[in-house]
Amino acid sequence: MRILFVHPNYHSGGAEIAGKWSPAWVAYLAGYLKTHGYTEYVFVDAMTDDTSDEDLRRIFAEAQPDIIACTAVTPAIYKAEQTLKIAKEACPNAVTLLGGIHATFMFQQVLTEAPWIDAIVRGEGEAVVLEVVRAVDEGRWESGRQDIKGIAYIEDDKVVATPAAPTIRDVDSIIPDWGVLDWKKYIYIPMGVPVATPNMARGCPFTCSFCSQWKFWRDYRVRDPKKVVDEIEILVKEHGVGFFILADEEPTINKAKFVEFCQELIDRDLGVLWGINTRVTDVMRDEDLLPFYRKAGLVHISLGTEAAAQLNLDMFVKETTVAQNKRAIELLRNAGIVTEAQFIVGLENETAETLEETFQLCMDWNPDMANWAMFTPWPFSDLYTEMKDKVEIFDFEKYNFVTPIMKPKAMTRGELLDRVMHNYRRFYMKKAFLGYPWERNPLRRKYLLGCLKAFLKSAFERRFYDLGKAGYWGPQSRKTVNWNFDTSRTLVKPEPQLEEQVIKWKSAPPRKRAGAKGAALKACGGGDEQLPENTSSTAQQVKICGGGDQQLPESMDDAKIKEKIKENA
């Protein structure tokens, strides 16, 4: 059985400005197959290598694999479809697979656009891909694919979707094969070292209306912290990784597990730095633990502040406040941790005044870095359902956080981009001359100057925010900027029966539903102290934090955590 994994060649001016990111998805899929006896696989990273369609065709033709598997986030979907079209032309007998969050929920759209794709892998991919590989290997793919849970395919010109596959409860059974990646390619520019993106948990217990990660994973499961650090030790010692970012939606939600993870890193003294994305409420909760986290190597935290105005925060169902944002950034700065504030802009009610308000709040909070991301209405999110009548652009290639998909009522898209760039220019100009060079902490100074280097490099190369593609050169070009939207793209009308299955898929499993037996009400910071006493869930929009005991195991109580703080003081 020859299997070829391929990452599509899609680029935008977003996360790539920090360097070339190692695609963890292939390591986890390949490792799971390896554990179950399938070891003949290769990986083609067309994105990192900027591989042309002609070269892809040659690679596929020479390899002649039995299965060609690809993944795609929403903006990369057309590149992925084109990649698998080339694959089918070069290897007509190969089974072509596509996975990822977009295909999981938009499988009818994808299979209509790209009927050459043999199957969509929906949701968590390891177990489903293994079943597909076994079916192909045993010669029962055509006759038995209807028995494989978690896929969608075309049969007799109709889209068929099998029931959802169960999630992998024992996530420690997924042992990645990091050796499938060529690590010298994946350099994190701020540190000049290889970068990895392992995960400690899958899923998220929160239900932010603009996000669908919690729907994709369907359940929240946490790994054994020691096994995660085992994995990181392999990355550091065998592959030269010098920086990693935990790919979890929110790694600090399980406080006990996160503390165990940090303690294990301290005990092993691997000398590796790392970063995470988390919520303001978790930072407030863990105020006393922040120096401990920093000792474990945590140097960069990106905070989901999402928007400055309280109105926008409420709209996005982010249970936080402007005052908390400022306090969380102050706490992290005092602990020596670099802070990055994330703002979502570009809603229909956006104006020059609200963008200026966002900027002034940002300057008041004084994060080390700031990012203004364009609101992107994922077509499978709850927020999209509420706003779909106002969405004009269905060219998913532009759904990349740097292209203004929504047009504000009071601004043109060009004016919106110009005001966002105005915020970036002012913020980083001040940091470049009055902030980063004068940072007293040597490590923070080196890191921040490295981040500035990455920012300036992408700006001079015209890659930042896709400015080169859009033709933006400054305020004088705001009236002529052009994103070349493909207006011929439309949404496929879903079949009612299949749409019902999608809705069912998006529903939380029983152990996560409100009112489920044994479920505990938690506020969005994860701690009981954040939930007012005698408050109904209806009145306060209380969220269910996964509900099941497996999400917040009592492996380390508060007393033991305090002992850890004293030991490492």
Side-chain angles (χ1 to χ4, degrees):
M1 274 297 298
R2 298 183 305 277
I3 304 158
L4 190 150
F5 297 105
V6 57
H7 198 81
N9 187 14
Y10 175 81
H11 299 271
S12 71
E16 286 181 87
I17 70 172
K20 297 183 184 297
W21 298 93
S22 52
W25 70 271
V26 68
Y28 286 107
L29 281 178
Y32 198 76
L33 291 179
K34 185 176 183 179
T35 299
H36 292 84
Y38 292 96
T39 60
E40 196 174 349
Y41 47 74
V42 295
F43 174 55
V44 177
D45 192 344
M47 178 179 177
T48 297
D49 296 338
D50 197 20
T51 308
S52 67
D53 287 352
E54 293 75 15
D55 286 339
L56 276 176
R57 188 181 303 276
R58 176 184 53 79
I59 291 169
F60 294 148
E62 291 176 356
Q64 285 300 313
D66 299 293
I67 294 176
I68 300 174
C70 187
T71 189
V73 291
T74 294
I77 190 62
Y78 303 142
K79 287 291 186 181
E81 291 173 358
Q82 176 65 14
T83 296
L84 291 180
K85 182 178 182 181
I86 295 170
K88 182 60 75 172
E89 291 170 351
C91 310
N93 295 323
V95 173
T96 52
L97 304 176
L98 178 63
I101 189 169
H102 185 90
T104 290
F105 298 118
M106 304 291 288
F107 60 89
Q108 296 181 77
Q109 178 92 22
V110 172
L111 290 172
T112 302
E113 294 171 343
W116 51 83
I117 295 174
D118 290 311
I120 300 295
V121 175
R122 302 177 62 207
E124 187 172 61
E126 287 87 357
V128 179
V129 169
L130 175 61
E131 289 305 308
V132 171
V133 169
R134 283 173 171 165
V136 174
D137 188 27
E138 296 167 7
R140 52 181 176 85
W141 167 247
E142 290 293 338
S143 62
R145 58 185 177 176
Q146 71 276 1
D147 297 323
I148 300 175
K149 292 182 177 181
I151 65 171
Y153 55 90
I154 295 177
E155 186 172 64
D156 297 330
D157 297 325
K158 292 184 178 180
V159 175
V160 176
T162 63
T167 56
I168 301 174
R169 299 304 306 157
D170 181 12
V171 284
D172 287 322
S173 68
I174 306 170
I175 303 172
D177 178 8
W178 293 111
V180 76
L181 299 173
D182 184 358
W183 286 96
K184 66 178 181 294
K185 299 177 181 178
Y186 306 108
I187 302 301
Y188 186 56
I189 294 175
M191 300 295 294
V193 296
V195 58
T197 53
N199 63 47
M200 188 167 70
R202 290 193 169 186
C204 182
F206 299 123
T207 56
C208 293
S209 59
F210 58 86
C211 178
S212 293
Q213 284 294 325
W214 58 276
K215 296 175 181 175
F216 176 81
W217 296 108
R218 298 174 58 237
D219 217 349
Y220 178 64
R221 294 148 290 152
V222 188
R223 299 173 58 191
D224 180 345
K226 290 187 177 181
K227 291 185 178 180
V228 179
V229 179
D230 286 343
E231 190 175 307
I232 291 168
E233 186 167 2
I234 290 173
L235 286 167
V236 172
K237 294 183 177 180
E238 296 184 14
H239 303 293
V241 168
F243 190 86
F244 71 87
I245 292 180
L246 282 179
D248 305 27
E249 277 66 46
E250 191 203 352
T252 55
I253 176 59
N254 192 318
K255 181 178 179 180
K257 290 283 188 180
F258 192 72
V259 168
E260 287 184 51
F261 173 74
C262 290
Q263 185 62 59
E264 194 68 24
L265 283 171
I266 291 172
D267 292 344
R268 300 198 200 185
D269 192 21
L270 297 175
V272 63
L273 298 176
W274 49 290
I276 62 171
N277 181 79
T278 194
R279 293 170 68 101
V280 166
T281 44
D282 285 16
V283 174
M284 302 284 285
R285 179 199 68 194
D286 294 350
E287 177 177 353
D288 292 340
L289 282 165
L290 296 179
F292 171 70
Y293 295 163
R294 178 63 194 86
K295 185 175 180 179
L298 179 56
V299 70
H300 185 159
I301 289 184
S302 178
L303 287 172
T305 48
E306 254 67 56
Q310 186 66 47
L311 173 62
N312 286 346
L313 286 170
D314 290 343
M315 180 178 186
F316 284 120
V317 199
K318 297 294 291 189
E319 296 179 6
T320 184
T321 66
V322 169
Q324 285 178 325
N325 291 337
K326 181 176 182 178
R327 177 59 177 160
I329 289 170
E330 180 184 13
L331 291 173
L332 291 171
R333 185 188 309 113
N334 292 341
I337 297 173
V338 170
T339 58
E340 179 179 5
Q342 300 280 354
F343 301 99
I344 288 181
V345 297
L347 289 164
E348 65 167 350
N349 63 339
E350 196 77 78
T351 64
E353 290 74 23
T354 59
L355 285 168
E356 181 62 23
E357 179 188 0
T358 300
F359 177 77
Q360 293 301 331
L361 277 173
C362 179
M363 298 305 290
D364 180 49
W365 300 347
N366 193 27
D368 295 302
M369 292 184 285
N371 181 40
W372 285 267
M374 293 292 183
F375 168 60
T376 303
W378 304 120
F380 34 76
S381 68
D382 290 345
L383 193 56
Y384 180 85
T385 302
E386 300 172 19
M387 305 183 69
K388 62 182 179 181
D389 293 338
K390 302 169 185 175
V391 179
E392 304 171 330
I393 304 300
F394 303 103
D395 182 359
F396 293 136
E397 190 173 49
K398 307 302 193 306
Y399 279 48
N400 51 19
F401 289 119
V402 300
T403 302
I405 299 300
M406 302 293 291
K407 180 193 172 300
K409 291 181 179 179
M411 307 175 74
T412 66
R413 289 185 173 88
E415 290 169 338
L416 170 61
L417 176 66
D418 183 54
R419 297 309 300 179
V420 169
M421 290 302 107
H422 185 50
N423 285 358
Y424 270 112
R425 284 191 293 267
R426 289 183 291 169
F427 181 86
Y428 283 102
M429 187 72 72
K430 182 175 181 180
K431 292 294 184 181
F433 288 101
L434 302 177
Y436 300 161
W438 315 110
E439 172 62 48
R440 293 183 179 181
N441 183 296
L443 178 60
R444 273 177 50 89
R445 181 170 64 249
K446 177 182 178 181
Y447 187 84
L448 289 169
L449 288 173
C451 291
L452 181 63
K453 173 186 175 182
F455 179 81
L456 293 175
K457 182 176 184 293
S458 69
F460 282 120
E461 293 174 352
R462 307 286 295 143
R463 292 185 297 107
F464 177 69
Y465 235 83
D466 267 358
L467 297 181
K469 293 180 183 178
Y472 177 84
W473 291 92
Q476 71 277 9
S477 60
R478 64 178 178 268
K479 292 184 179 180
T480 59
V481 65
N482 187 355
W483 288 273
N484 296 305
F485 294 120
D486 184 349
T487 56
S488 68
R489 299 281 186 179
T490 58
L491 290 180
V492 172
K493 184 177 180 179
E495 292 292 333
Q497 188 175 9
L498 293 175
E499 185 64 12
E500 183 179 345
Q501 191 188 93
V502 172
I503 294 172
K504 184 177 180 181
W505 178 294
K506 290 180 179 180
S507 300
R511 59 183 161 272
K512 290 187 70 176
R513 296 176 191 156
K517 186 176 181 180
L521 289 176
K522 298 288 184 182
C524 277
D528 291 339
E529 74 283 359
Q530 299 175 40
L531 182 61
E533 292 182 4
N534 301 320
T535 301
S536 70
S537 60
T538 302
Q540 294 292 329
Q541 290 186 312
V542 175
K543 302 300 174 188
I544 304 303
C545 282
D549 292 339
Q550 77 285 350
Q551 297 177 38
L552 294 172
E554 299 295 331
S555 57
M556 183 181 293
D557 58 26
D558 286 342
K560 291 181 179 179
I561 290 176
K562 291 178 181 178
E563 288 178 10
K564 291 295 181 185
I565 298 174
K566 292 180 180 179
E567 290 173 5
N568 291 280

